[in-house]
Amino acid sequence: MSELALKYCDQWANKWSISDQDQELSNKLIDVFSRYLSNLEAQNVSKTTFRRHKSACLALGGYIVGEVYGYETDGPFDDLDGKTIILKYIDSEGDPLIHSHEPTWQSELDAMCKKLYKLINAEAI
């Protein structure tokens, strides 16, 4: 994994986590997101594109941790890996609706989710 991807992802667990369970889930998500961002970096995307995808990963991870442990809508995913957990929240169309009041942010999130979905299913990350 690239140092740049790890630099950002290392900070995320503290933003998302409140308990030890949150921390475990956060670490699973960070593993996937850091590989995703490393993949983007290897593609030499622009700094702006990288920053957009990084911000979308941060938003998606926070959303997933909040859904799993904040509202307990889906229950704990102790036995699942990060990819499987993320695939419960994204698909080829994008999703989830996090920024309904900000269409531009939601559009960026959807773009990242589509790309992440494609890479996970292609076993590229």
Side-chain angles (χ1 to χ4, degrees):
M1 271 166 253
S2 76
E3 287 182 37
L4 184 60
L6 287 174
K7 172 185 160 187
Y8 291 112
C9 295
D10 281 346
Q11 302 167 9
W12 293 352
N14 292 334
K15 292 181 180 185
W16 299 336
S17 303
I18 296 173
S19 70
D20 289 341
Q21 281 184 309
D22 293 357
Q23 187 73 37
E24 290 175 33
L25 174 59
S26 295
N27 289 336
K28 289 179 182 183
L29 300 177
I30 286 169
D31 180 54
V32 177
F33 291 141
S34 61
R35 285 186 277 143
Y36 173 72
L37 293 174
S38 292
N39 183 289
L40 287 179
E41 189 177 20
Q43 295 175 28
N44 292 319
V45 298
S46 72
K47 289 180 182 179
T48 302
T49 299
F50 184 87
R51 198 170 24 249
R52 285 182 185 144
H53 284 259
K54 173 190 63 82
S55 295
C57 288
L58 176 61
L60 178 61
Y63 175 83
I64 292 171
V65 171
E67 284 292 300
V68 172
Y69 290 111
Y71 303 111
E72 297 183 28
T73 57
D74 296 320
F77 297 126
D78 295 339
D79 298 333
L80 302 178
D81 66 7
K83 289 180 186 180
T84 305
I85 295 167
I86 289 171
L87 289 175
K88 292 187 171 291
Y89 290 91
I90 67 171
D91 58 31
S92 62
E93 300 299 316
D95 291 339
L97 183 60
I98 296 175
H99 298 297
S100 61
H101 60 287
E102 293 289 342
T104 303
W105 291 353
Q106 184 62 41
S107 177
E108 289 178 7
L109 178 69
D110 287 340
M112 184 281 297
C113 288
K114 289 175 192 177
K115 186 170 184 79
L116 179 59
Y117 180 85
K118 184 177 176 181
L119 289 172
I120 287 174
N121 284 307
E123 298 291 327
I125 57 169

Coordinates of all heavy atoms in Angstrom, one line a residue, residues 53-117:
H53 N -12.1 11.1 -4.2 CA -12.3 9.7 -3.9 C -11.9 9.4 -2.4 O -12.6 8.7 -1.8 CB -11.5 8.8 -4.8 CG -12.1 8.7 -6.2 ND1 -12.8 7.6 -6.5 CD2 -12.1 9.5 -7.2 CE1 -13.3 7.8 -7.8 NE2 -12.8 8.9 -8.2
K54 N -10.9 10.1 -1.9 CA -10.5 9.9 -0.5 C -11.7 10.4 0.4 O -12.0 9.7 1.3 CB -9.2 10.7 -0.2 CG -8.9 10.8 1.2 CD -7.7 11.7 1.5 CE -8.1 13.2 1.2 NZ -8.8 13.9 2.1
S55 N -12.2 11.6 0.1 CA -13.3 12.1 0.9 C -14.6 11.2 0.8 O -15.3 11.1 1.8 CB -13.7 13.5 0.4 OG -12.6 14.4 0.6
A56 N -14.8 10.7 -0.4 CA -16.0 9.8 -0.5 C -15.7 8.5 0.3 O -16.7 8.0 0.9 CB -16.2 9.5 -2.0
C57 N -14.5 8.0 0.3 CA -14.2 6.8 1.1 C -14.4 7.1 2.6 O -15.0 6.3 3.4 CB -12.8 6.3 0.9 SG -12.4 5.5 -0.6
L58 N -14.0 8.3 3.1 CA -14.2 8.7 4.4 C -15.7 8.8 4.8 O -16.1 8.2 5.8 CB -13.5 10.0 4.7 CG -13.7 10.7 6.0 CD1 -13.1 9.8 7.1 CD2 -13.0 12.0 6.1
A59 N -16.5 9.3 3.9 CA -17.9 9.5 4.1 C -18.6 8.1 4.2 O -19.4 7.8 5.0 CB -18.5 10.4 3.1
L60 N -18.2 7.2 3.2 CA -18.8 5.9 3.2 C -18.5 5.1 4.4 O -19.4 4.4 5.0 CB -18.4 5.2 1.9 CG -19.0 3.8 1.7 CD1 -20.5 3.8 1.7 CD2 -18.4 3.1 0.5
G61 N -17.2 5.1 4.8 CA -16.8 4.4 6.0 C -17.5 4.8 7.2 O -18.0 4.0 8.0
G62 N -17.6 6.1 7.4 CA -18.4 6.7 8.5 C -19.8 6.3 8.5 O -20.4 6.0 9.6
Y63 N -20.4 6.3 7.3 CA -21.8 5.9 7.2 C -22.0 4.4 7.6 O -22.9 4.1 8.4 CB -22.2 6.1 5.7 CG -23.6 5.6 5.5 CD1 -24.7 6.4 5.8 CD2 -23.9 4.4 4.9 CE1 -26.0 6.0 5.5 CE2 -25.1 3.9 4.6 CZ -26.2 4.7 4.9 OH -27.5 4.3 4.7
I64 N -21.1 3.6 7.1 CA -21.2 2.1 7.4 C -21.1 1.9 8.9 O -21.9 1.2 9.5 CB -20.2 1.3 6.5 CG1 -20.6 1.4 5.1 CG2 -20.2 -0.1 7.0 CD1 -19.6 0.8 4.1
V65 N -20.1 2.4 9.5 CA -19.9 2.2 10.9 C -21.1 2.7 11.7 O -21.6 2.1 12.6 CB -18.6 2.9 11.4 CG1 -18.5 2.9 12.9 CG2 -17.4 2.2 10.8
G66 N -21.6 3.9 11.3 CA -22.8 4.5 12.0 C -24.0 3.6 11.8 O -24.8 3.4 12.7
E67 N -24.2 3.0 10.6 CA -25.3 2.1 10.4 C -25.2 0.8 11.2 O -26.2 0.4 11.7 CB -25.4 1.8 8.9 CG -26.0 2.9 8.0 CD -27.4 3.2 8.3 OE1 -28.3 2.3 8.1 OE2 -27.7 4.3 8.7
V68 N -24.0 0.3 11.2 CA -23.9 -1.0 11.8 C -24.0 -0.9 13.3 O -24.7 -1.6 14.0 CB -22.5 -1.7 11.5 CG1 -22.2 -2.9 12.3 CG2 -22.5 -2.0 10.0
Y69 N -23.3 0.1 13.9 CA -23.3 0.2 15.4 C -24.1 1.3 15.9 O -24.5 1.3 17.1 CB -21.9 0.3 15.9 CG -21.1 -1.0 15.7 CD1 -20.1 -1.2 14.8 CD2 -21.5 -2.2 16.4 CE1 -19.5 -2.4 14.6 CE2 -20.9 -3.4 16.2 CZ -19.9 -3.5 15.3 OH -19.3 -4.7 15.1
G70 N -24.4 2.3 15.1 CA -25.2 3.4 15.6 C -26.7 3.1 15.6 O -27.4 3.4 16.6
Y71 N -27.2 2.4 14.6 CA -28.6 2.1 14.5 C -28.9 0.6 14.5 O -30.0 0.2 14.7 CB -29.2 2.7 13.2 CG -29.0 4.2 13.1 CD1 -28.1 4.7 12.1 CD2 -29.6 5.1 13.9 CE1 -27.9 6.1 12.0 CE2 -29.5 6.4 13.8 CZ -28.6 6.9 12.8 OH -28.4 8.3 12.7
E72 N -27.8 -0.1 14.4 CA -27.9 -1.6 14.4 C -28.9 -2.1 13.4 O -29.7 -3.0 13.6 CB -28.2 -2.1 15.8 CG -27.1 -1.8 16.8 CD -27.4 -2.4 18.1 OE1 -28.1 -3.4 18.3 OE2 -26.9 -1.8 19.1
T73 N -29.0 -1.5 12.2 CA -29.9 -1.9 11.2 C -29.5 -3.2 10.5 O -30.4 -4.0 10.1 CB -30.0 -0.8 10.1 OG1 -28.7 -0.6 9.5 CG2 -30.6 0.5 10.6
D74 N -28.2 -3.5 10.4 CA -27.8 -4.7 9.8 C -27.1 -5.7 10.7 O -26.8 -6.8 10.3 CB -26.8 -4.4 8.6 CG -27.5 -3.6 7.5 OD1 -28.6 -3.9 7.2 OD2 -26.8 -2.7 7.1
G75 N -26.9 -5.3 11.9 CA -26.2 -6.2 12.9 C -24.7 -6.2 12.7 O -24.2 -5.8 11.6
P76 N -24.0 -6.7 13.6 CA -22.5 -6.8 13.5 C -22.1 -7.7 12.4 O -22.8 -8.7 12.1 CB -22.1 -7.4 14.9 CG -23.3 -7.1 15.8 CD -24.5 -7.1 14.9
F77 N -20.9 -7.5 11.9 CA -20.4 -8.2 10.8 C -19.1 -8.9 11.2 O -18.1 -8.9 10.4 CB -20.2 -7.4 9.5 CG -21.4 -6.8 9.0 CD1 -21.5 -5.4 8.8 CD2 -22.5 -7.6 8.6 CE1 -22.7 -4.9 8.2 CE2 -23.6 -7.0 8.1 CZ -23.7 -5.7 7.9
D78 N -19.0 -9.4 12.4 CA -17.7 -9.9 12.9 C -17.1 -11.0 12.0 O -15.9 -11.0 11.9 CB -18.0 -10.5 14.3 CG -18.4 -9.5 15.3 OD1 -18.1 -8.3 15.1 OD2 -19.0 -9.9 16.3
D79 N -17.9 -11.8 11.3 CA -17.3 -12.9 10.5 C -17.1 -12.5 9.1 O -16.6 -13.3 8.3 CB -18.3 -14.1 10.6 CG -18.5 -14.6 12.0 OD1 -17.6 -14.5 12.8 OD2 -19.5 -15.2 12.2
L80 N -17.4 -11.3 8.7 CA -17.2 -10.9 7.3 C -16.0 -10.0 7.1 O -15.5 -9.3 8.0 CB -18.4 -10.1 6.9 CG -19.8 -10.8 7.0 CD1 -20.9 -9.9 6.5 CD2 -19.8 -12.1 6.2
D81 N -15.4 -10.1 5.9 CA -14.3 -9.2 5.6 C -14.7 -7.9 5.1 O -15.9 -7.7 4.9 CB -13.3 -9.9 4.6 CG -14.0 -10.1 3.2 OD1 -15.1 -9.6 3.0 OD2 -13.3 -10.7 2.4
G82 N -13.8 -7.0 5.0 CA -14.2 -5.6 4.6 C -14.9 -5.5 3.3 O -15.8 -4.7 3.1
K83 N -14.4 -6.2 2.3 CA -15.0 -6.2 1.0 C -16.5 -6.6 1.0 O -17.4 -6.0 0.5 CB -14.3 -7.1 0.0 CG -12.9 -6.6 -0.4 CD -12.3 -7.6 -1.4 CE -10.9 -7.3 -1.7 NZ -10.4 -8.3 -2.7
T84 N -16.8 -7.7 1.7 CA -18.1 -8.2 1.8 C -19.0 -7.2 2.5 O -20.2 -7.0 2.1 CB -18.1 -9.5 2.6 OG1 -17.3 -10.4 1.9 CG2 -19.5 -10.1 2.6
I85 N -18.5 -6.6 3.6 CA -19.3 -5.6 4.3 C -19.6 -4.4 3.4 O -20.7 -3.9 3.3 CB -18.5 -5.1 5.6 CG1 -18.4 -6.3 6.5 CG2 -19.2 -3.9 6.2 CD1 -17.4 -6.0 7.7
I86 N -18.6 -3.9 2.7 CA -18.8 -2.7 1.8 C -19.8 -3.1 0.7 O -20.7 -2.3 0.4 CB -17.5 -2.3 1.2 CG1 -16.6 -1.6 2.3 CG2 -17.7 -1.3 0.0 CD1 -15.2 -1.3 1.9
L87 N -19.8 -4.3 0.2 CA -20.7 -4.7 -0.9 C -22.2 -4.8 -0.4 O -23.1 -4.8 -1.2 CB -20.3 -6.0 -1.5 CG -19.0 -5.9 -2.4 CD1 -18.6 -7.3 -2.9 CD2 -19.2 -5.0 -3.6
K88 N -22.4 -4.8 0.9 CA -23.7 -4.7 1.4 C -24.3 -3.3 1.3 O -25.5 -3.1 1.4 CB -23.8 -5.2 2.9 CG -23.5 -6.6 3.1 CD -23.7 -7.1 4.5 CE -23.6 -8.6 4.6 NZ -24.7 -9.3 4.0
Y89 N -23.4 -2.3 1.1 CA -23.9 -0.9 1.0 C -23.7 -0.3 -0.3 O -24.3 0.8 -0.6 CB -23.1 -0.1 2.1 CG -23.5 -0.5 3.5 CD1 -22.9 -1.5 4.2 CD2 -24.6 0.1 4.1 CE1 -23.3 -1.9 5.4 CE2 -25.0 -0.2 5.3 CZ -24.3 -1.2 6.0 OH -24.7 -1.6 7.3
I90 N -22.9 -0.9 -1.2 CA -22.8 -0.3 -2.6 C -23.1 -1.3 -3.6 O -23.2 -2.5 -3.4 CB -21.3 0.3 -2.8 CG1 -20.3 -0.9 -2.9 CG2 -20.9 1.3 -1.7 CD1 -18.9 -0.5 -3.3
D91 N -23.3 -0.8 -4.8 CA -23.6 -1.6 -6.0 C -23.1 -0.9 -7.2 O -22.5 0.1 -7.2 CB -25.0 -2.1 -6.1 CG -26.0 -0.9 -6.2 OD1 -25.6 0.1 -6.8 OD2 -27.1 -1.0 -5.7
S92 N -23.4 -1.5 -8.4 CA -23.0 -0.9 -9.7 C -23.6 0.4 -10.0 O -23.1 1.1 -10.8 CB -23.2 -1.9 -10.8 OG -24.6 -2.1 -10.9
E93 N -24.6 0.8 -9.2 CA -25.3 2.1 -9.5 C -24.8 3.2 -8.5 O -25.1 4.3 -8.7 CB -26.8 1.9 -9.3 CG -27.4 0.9 -10.2 CD -27.3 1.4 -11.7 OE1 -27.5 2.6 -12.0 OE2 -26.9 0.5 -12.5
G94 N -24.0 2.8 -7.5 CA -23.5 3.8 -6.6 C -24.0 3.4 -5.2 O -23.6 2.4 -4.6
D95 N -24.8 4.3 -4.6 CA -25.4 4.2 -3.3 C -24.4 4.3 -2.2 O -23.2 4.3 -2.5 CB -26.1 2.8 -3.2 CG -27.3 2.7 -4.0 OD1 -27.9 3.8 -4.4 OD2 -27.7 1.6 -4.3
P96 N -24.7 4.4 -1.0 CA -26.0 4.8 -0.4 C -26.2 6.3 -0.5 O -25.3 7.0 -0.8 CB -25.8 4.3 1.0 CG -24.4 4.5 1.3 CD -23.7 4.2 0.0
L97 N -27.4 6.7 -0.2 CA -27.8 8.1 -0.2 C -27.3 8.7 1.1 O -27.9 8.5 2.1 CB -29.3 8.3 -0.4 CG -29.7 9.8 -0.5 CD1 -29.1 10.5 -1.7 CD2 -31.2 9.8 -0.6
I98 N -26.2 9.4 1.1 CA -25.6 10.0 2.3 C -25.8 11.5 2.2 O -26.1 12.2 3.2 CB -24.1 9.7 2.4 CG1 -24.0 8.2 2.6 CG2 -23.5 10.4 3.6 CD1 -22.5 7.7 2.7
H99 N -25.6 12.1 1.0 CA -25.7 13.6 0.9 C -26.9 14.0 0.1 O -26.7 14.7 -1.0 CB -24.4 14.0 0.2 CG -23.1 13.8 1.0 ND1 -22.9 14.3 2.2 CD2 -22.1 13.0 0.7 CE1 -21.7 13.9 2.6 NE2 -21.2 13.1 1.7
S100 N -28.1 13.7 0.5 CA -29.3 14.1 -0.2 C -29.4 15.6 -0.4 O -30.0 16.0 -1.4 CB -30.5 13.5 0.4 OG -30.7 14.0 1.7
H101 N -28.9 16.3 0.5 CA -29.0 17.8 0.5 C -27.9 18.4 -0.3 O -28.0 19.6 -0.6 CB -29.0 18.3 1.9 CG -27.8 18.0 2.7 ND1 -27.5 16.7 3.1 CD2 -26.7 18.7 3.0 CE1 -26.3 16.7 3.7 NE2 -25.8 17.9 3.7
E102 N -26.9 17.6 -0.8 CA -25.8 18.1 -1.5 C -25.6 17.3 -2.8 O -24.8 16.3 -2.7 CB -24.5 18.2 -0.7 CG -24.5 19.2 0.4 CD -24.5 20.6 -0.1 OE1 -24.1 20.9 -1.2 OE2 -24.8 21.5 0.8
P103 N -26.3 17.5 -3.9 CA -26.2 16.7 -5.0 C -24.8 16.5 -5.6 O -24.4 15.4 -6.1 CB -27.1 17.4 -6.1 CG -27.9 18.3 -5.3 CD -27.2 18.6 -4.1
T104 N -23.9 17.5 -5.5 CA -22.6 17.4 -6.0 C -21.8 16.4 -5.2 O -21.1 15.5 -5.7 CB -21.9 18.8 -6.0 OG1 -22.6 19.7 -6.8 CG2 -20.5 18.7 -6.5
W105 N -21.9 16.4 -3.9 CA -21.2 15.5 -3.0 C -21.8 14.1 -3.2 O -21.0 13.1 -3.2 CB -21.4 15.9 -1.5 CG -20.7 17.1 -1.1 CD1 -19.8 17.9 -1.9 CD2 -20.7 17.8 0.1 NE1 -19.3 19.0 -1.2 CE2 -19.9 18.9 0.1 CE3 -21.4 17.5 1.3 CZ2 -19.8 19.8 1.1 CZ3 -21.3 18.4 2.3 CH2 -20.5 19.5 2.2
Q106 N -23.1 14.0 -3.3 CA -23.6 12.6 -3.6 C -23.2 12.1 -4.9 O -22.9 10.9 -5.0 CB -25.2 12.7 -3.5 CG -25.8 11.3 -3.7 CD -25.5 10.4 -2.5 OE1 -25.5 10.8 -1.4 NE2 -25.3 9.1 -2.9
S107 N -23.1 12.9 -5.9 CA -22.6 12.5 -7.2 C -21.1 11.9 -7.1 O -20.8 10.9 -7.7 CB -22.6 13.6 -8.2 OG -22.1 13.3 -9.4
E108 N -20.3 12.6 -6.3 CA -18.9 12.2 -6.1 C -18.9 10.8 -5.4 O -18.1 10.0 -5.7 CB -18.1 13.2 -5.4 CG -17.8 14.4 -6.3 CD -17.1 15.6 -5.6 OE1 -16.6 15.4 -4.5 OE2 -16.9 16.6 -6.2
L109 N -19.7 10.7 -4.4 CA -19.8 9.5 -3.6 C -20.3 8.3 -4.5 O -19.7 7.3 -4.5 CB -20.8 9.6 -2.4 CG -21.0 8.4 -1.6 CD1 -19.8 8.0 -0.8 CD2 -22.2 8.5 -0.7
D110 N -21.3 8.6 -5.4 CA -21.8 7.6 -6.3 C -20.7 7.1 -7.3 O -20.5 5.9 -7.5 CB -23.0 8.0 -7.1 CG -24.2 8.1 -6.2 OD1 -24.3 7.4 -5.2 OD2 -25.2 8.8 -6.6
A111 N -19.9 8.1 -7.8 CA -18.8 7.8 -8.7 C -17.8 6.9 -8.0 O -17.3 5.9 -8.6 CB -18.2 9.1 -9.2
M112 N -17.4 7.2 -6.8 CA -16.4 6.4 -6.1 C -17.0 5.0 -5.8 O -16.3 4.0 -6.0 CB -16.1 7.1 -4.7 CG -15.0 6.4 -3.9 SD -15.4 5.0 -3.0 CE -16.6 5.7 -1.8
C113 N -18.3 5.0 -5.4 CA -18.9 3.7 -5.1 C -18.9 2.8 -6.3 O -18.6 1.6 -6.2 CB -20.3 3.8 -4.5 SG -20.3 4.5 -2.8
K114 N -19.2 3.3 -7.5 CA -19.3 2.5 -8.7 C -17.9 2.0 -9.0 O -17.7 0.8 -9.4 CB -19.8 3.4 -9.8 CG -21.2 3.7 -9.8 CD -21.6 4.7 -10.9 CE -23.0 5.2 -10.7 NZ -23.4 6.2 -11.7
K115 N -16.9 2.8 -8.9 CA -15.5 2.4 -9.2 C -15.0 1.4 -8.2 O -14.4 0.3 -8.6 CB -14.6 3.6 -9.2 CG -13.2 3.3 -9.7 CD -12.4 4.5 -9.9 CE -11.0 4.3 -10.5 NZ -11.0 4.0 -11.9
L116 N -15.3 1.6 -6.9 CA -14.9 0.6 -5.9 C -15.6 -0.7 -6.1 O -15.0 -1.8 -6.0 CB -15.3 1.2 -4.5 CG -15.0 0.3 -3.3 CD1 -13.5 0.0 -3.2 CD2 -15.4 1.0 -2.0
Y117 N -16.9 -0.7 -6.4 CA -17.7 -1.9 -6.7 C -17.1 -2.7 -7.8 O -16.9 -3.9 -7.7 CB -19.1 -1.5 -7.0 CG -20.0 -2.7 -7.3 CD1 -20.6 -3.4 -6.3 CD2 -20.2 -3.1 -8.6 CE1 -21.5 -4.4 -6.5 CE2 -21.1 -4.1 -8.9 CZ -21.7 -4.8 -7.9 OH -22.5 -5.9 -8.1

